[in-house]
Amino acid sequence: MEKQQQHKVEEKKAGDIAQQVKKRKRKEVFPFGNYKNYYGYRIGEGLDEDPRLKVFKEEWFQGKNCLDIGCNSGIITIQIAKKFQCRSILGVDIDSNRVEDAYWHLRKIVKMEKDERKRAQASRLDVPGNTDGPQRGVMVMSSAEEEEVSKDCSPPVERDLHEIVSFQQENFVHSRHPLEMQYDTILCLSVTKWIHLNWGDDALITLFTRIWRLLHPGGIFVLEPQPWRSYEKNRRVSETTATNYQNIVFHPEQFQEILLDKIGFRRVEVITSDGLSDSKTGFNRPIFAFQK
């Protein structure tokens, strides 16, 4: 009898330990903001694209070489390439798992686009022909004339997204092999808080300085900083962030002054995204477009 009771106690202990392990596994920590399902709540249900794309300007991206710092799983990077027809766009993220996710999304979207083009081509070919010869009033052209018209009217060749979009695992601030290519537009969307909390004020200045150096003259730096209350919410994500939080001097409301007066940007345009996303999630933040 005692053995049965002892066995039950041991089973209960084992069950409790198993439950604790499961809970720890479920509660993953993302100290760099490298959330797995970031875009699931960032975009929101029922929306086809990230709300920020509605306030982004075409001239920032069309035909331009672009860089997206902290791209996470690459959704907005790919959407920018599709919507604004970049010449190229590179997404970098500190988390190799998120970079793998980004390439998975890219392959999926490229496959969908190819399937859509095949269906569209098939539907154009599947038009009933007229077997009774040319209709009255229709001009008949020679093969040479048809070829010339075809050249003049043919649409521009669409570039595959694989040729435009690429991703790279990189700690942008502490990279041993910093990027050397210069860009027309650089994005840093909801990333500054995580750099700031993990590496402090010096890392923030390094971020801004490297971005300035990587931009062509006249280039655009698109910045979406998180507010200070967001720092307070996430300061205990690790011991490092808790310590750095106490020592931060530069607050987000000072970023504009730092970028203009200390880093050297010439001007700034403030763009609000009010009403474009759910205010309960805190994602209707102002966006700043700095020009070098």
Side-chain angles (χ1 to χ4, degrees):
M1 189 72 175
E2 289 182 3
K3 287 184 178 180
Q4 288 180 345
Q5 288 179 343
Q6 186 178 356
H7 184 64
K8 286 181 179 178
V9 170
E10 289 175 352
E11 282 185 338
K12 186 176 185 302
K13 283 183 179 179
D16 291 341
I17 292 170
Q19 287 297 323
Q20 290 172 9
V21 171
K22 285 182 180 178
K23 285 181 180 179
R24 283 198 295 269
K25 284 183 177 179
R26 280 198 298 267
K27 192 176 181 180
E28 292 185 77
V29 178
F30 301 100
F32 307 112
N34 50 322
Y35 303 111
K36 278 185 179 179
N37 300 314
Y38 175 74
Y39 286 101
Y41 60 85
R42 180 55 161 105
I43 297 176
E45 294 183 8
L47 296 177
D48 294 330
E49 67 175 21
D50 191 298
R52 291 170 290 187
L53 269 70
K54 293 182 173 64
V55 297
F56 287 172
K57 296 188 175 181
E58 187 177 53
E59 59 263 29
W60 296 347
F61 306 105
Q62 190 173 38
K64 304 293 177 65
N65 293 314
C66 308
L67 173 65
D68 183 12
I69 300 169
C71 65
N72 197 272
S73 58
I75 299 294
I76 195 169
T77 316
I78 298 167
Q79 288 183 345
I80 286 171
K82 286 185 62 177
K83 181 170 184 176
F84 299 112
Q85 300 171 344
C86 304
R87 180 184 301 165
S88 71
I89 185 165
L90 169 64
V92 299
D93 199 89
I94 194 170
D95 190 338
S96 60
N97 291 321
R98 301 291 78 80
V99 172
E100 287 181 11
D101 293 341
Y103 270 116
W104 182 86
H105 284 121
L106 180 59
R107 288 192 298 270
K108 180 181 176 183
I109 292 171
V110 167
K111 185 179 183 302
M112 288 173 58
E113 287 192 338
K114 284 182 178 178
D115 291 343
E116 287 176 5
R117 285 197 291 267
K118 285 179 181 178
R119 285 194 293 270
Q121 187 178 10
S123 65
R124 286 196 298 270
L125 294 173
D126 191 25
V127 177
N130 189 335
T131 58
D132 296 330
Q135 297 177 4
R136 184 177 298 174
V138 175
M139 182 176 65
V140 180
M141 292 185 289
S142 67
S143 58
E145 289 173 325
E146 286 179 350
E147 185 178 349
E148 193 63 33
V149 170
S150 177
K151 286 180 182 178
D152 293 338
C153 300
S154 59
V157 178
E158 290 188 21
R159 292 174 63 205
D160 194 303
L161 274 175
H162 272 134
E163 301 174 38
I164 302 169
V165 183
S166 59
F167 298 101
Q168 181 176 321
Q169 189 276 325
E170 195 71 71
N171 182 337
F172 184 81
V173 172
H174 293 288
S175 174
R176 294 181 181 178
H177 306 286
L179 301 173
E180 295 180 357
M181 175 178 170
Q182 284 204 302
Y183 297 89
D184 302 296
T185 301
I186 298 178
L187 301 107
C188 190
L189 307 175
S190 293
V191 173
T192 46
K193 174 184 71 177
W194 299 109
I195 292 173
H196 216 171
L197 283 175
N198 279 283
W199 296 287
D201 285 332
D202 287 346
L204 182 80
I205 299 303
T206 299
L207 170 74
F208 291 159
T209 303
R210 286 192 173 182
I211 287 171
W212 191 86
R213 288 174 180 168
L214 286 174
L215 277 172
H216 285 297
I220 299 294
F221 171 36
V222 183
L223 173 66
E224 181 191 38
Q226 296 99 319
W228 185 248
R229 65 178 180 275
S230 181
Y231 284 64
E232 295 173 348
K233 182 180 177 182
N234 294 108
R235 68 188 187 277
R236 293 193 182 95
V237 73
S238 72
E239 291 182 11
T240 300
T241 57
T243 301
N244 284 332
Y245 173 79
Q246 299 296 330
N247 298 319
I248 286 174
V249 174
F250 302 136
H251 284 215
E253 57 268 24
Q254 297 171 268
F255 291 0
Q256 183 171 326
E257 179 185 349
I258 291 169
L259 285 159
L260 292 172
D261 296 343
K262 294 185 178 181
I263 305 300
F265 283 91
R266 296 170 59 193
R267 60 177 66 90
V268 62
E269 181 181 1
V270 183
I271 298 164
T272 60
S273 55
D274 293 341
L276 295 180
S277 57
D278 185 357
S279 59
K280 293 179 182 178
T281 64
F283 284 127
N284 55 344
R285 301 167 183 154
I287 293 168
F288 300 84
F290 295 87
Q291 185 178 36
K292 181 175 177 179

